[in-house]
């Protein structure tokens, strides 16, 4: 009996120690008439959001530079910076849609100032209602001609449609043409004087914008 009592005290102490861990949920399973075996299941950690490498590519350019002056993201989601590699923008951030980033994306814009990729049917140009995040700043495109176009107020936002994390682009200085699905950005100043004259159109995926320079 004394041996059984010692084993019972040790078992109770082990149950109390393990069940105090914040990521475990403990319960006792009764086996037979006398033996009680502790069983535990691992519970998911709460309040920790993942950071993703979110990319938007601009084939047609050979290099990009994105000077982000404002970044808006759903509350509780991480943001670890925006970089460019070649013709691709990388945004290290979480993914959770909300109205806040969408409102910042659309502030001061009309329907003709935006272009969305893989949008919901009937695929009309419209302002997004929810976005995971939006970056706002000056985006510069360098082409094989060695000419750089500097485009102000370029807004890049990521949303969600069905199984895709689709991207949006918008700017007060750009106008979309629904019939051709082109997004034209033209300033009075030429690129040589810091201006922007490019045309952007949907690429081959939900995160690809084809871009070309306008020589007119």
């Amino acid at each position: 009996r004394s041996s059984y009592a010692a084993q019972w005290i040790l078992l109770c102490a082990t149950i109390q120690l393990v069940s105090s861990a914040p990521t475990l949920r403990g319960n006792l399973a009764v086996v037979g008439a006398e033996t009680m075996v502790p069983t535990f299941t691992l519970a998911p950690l709460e309040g920790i959001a993942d950071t993703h490498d979110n990319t938007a590519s601009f084939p047609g350019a050979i290099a990009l530079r994105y000077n982000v002056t404002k970044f808006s993201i759903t509350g509780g989601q991480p943001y670890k910076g925006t970089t460019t590699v070649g013709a691709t923008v990388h945004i290290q951030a979480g993914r959770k849609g909300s109205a806040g980033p969408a409102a910042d994306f659309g502030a001061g814009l009309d329907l003709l100032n935006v272009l969305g990729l893989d949008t919901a049917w009937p695929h009309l140009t419209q302002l997004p209602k929810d976005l995971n995040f939006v970056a706002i700043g000056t985006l510069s495109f360098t082409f094989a001609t060695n000419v750089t176009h500097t485009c102000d107020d370029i807004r890049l936002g990521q949303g969600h449609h069905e199984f895709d994390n689709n991207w949006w682009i918008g700017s007060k200085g750009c106008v979309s043409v629904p019939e051709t699905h082109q997004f034209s950005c033209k300033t009075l100043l030429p690129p040589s004087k810091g201006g922007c004259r490019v045309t952007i159109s949907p690429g081959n995926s939900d995160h690809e914008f084809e871009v070309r320079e306008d020589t007119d």
Side-chain angles (χ1 to χ4, degrees), residues 24 37-38 40 57 70 77 120 134 148 157 169 198 203 207 214 216:
L24 296 177
V37 179
F40 298 94
S57 299
K70 180 177 181 179
Q77 295 296 304
V134 58
T148 297
I169 189 169
V198 300
H207 58 276
D214 292 332
D216 297 339

Side-chain angles (χ1 to χ4, degrees), residues 165-179:
N165 293 299
N166 62 322
W167 285 78
W168 295 76
I169 189 169
S171 175
K172 294 179 181 178
C174 304
V175 177
S176 63
V177 183
E179 293 80 5

Side-chain angles (χ1 to χ4, degrees), residues 102 105-117 119 124-128 131 155 167-178 181-184 200 209:
F105 175 87
L109 300 184
D110 294 324
L111 293 179
L112 294 179
N113 297 130
V114 304
L115 174 67
L117 301 178
T119 56
L124 299 175
T125 299
Q126 57 185 333
L127 293 173
L131 289 177
R155 311 174 189 195
W167 285 78
W168 295 76
I169 189 169
S171 175
K172 294 179 181 178
C174 304
V175 177
S176 63
V177 183
H181 300 288
Q182 293 184 338
F183 193 64
S184 179
I200 298 170
F209 297 95

Side-chain angles (χ1 to χ4, degrees), residues 14 31 44 46 56 62 90 96 99 101 118 136 141 147 151 153 162-163 167-168 171 180 183 189 193 203:
T14 303
V31 181
E46 299 177 354
I62 61 171
H90 293 257
K96 184 177 181 181
D118 288 359
I136 302 174
F141 303 91
V147 175
C151 307
D153 187 46
E162 294 183 346
F163 300 104
W167 285 78
W168 295 76
S171 175
T180 62
F183 193 64
L189 290 176
K193 296 185 181 298

Side-chain angles (χ1 to χ4, degrees), residues 23 73 152:
T23 59
I73 192 169
D152 295 328

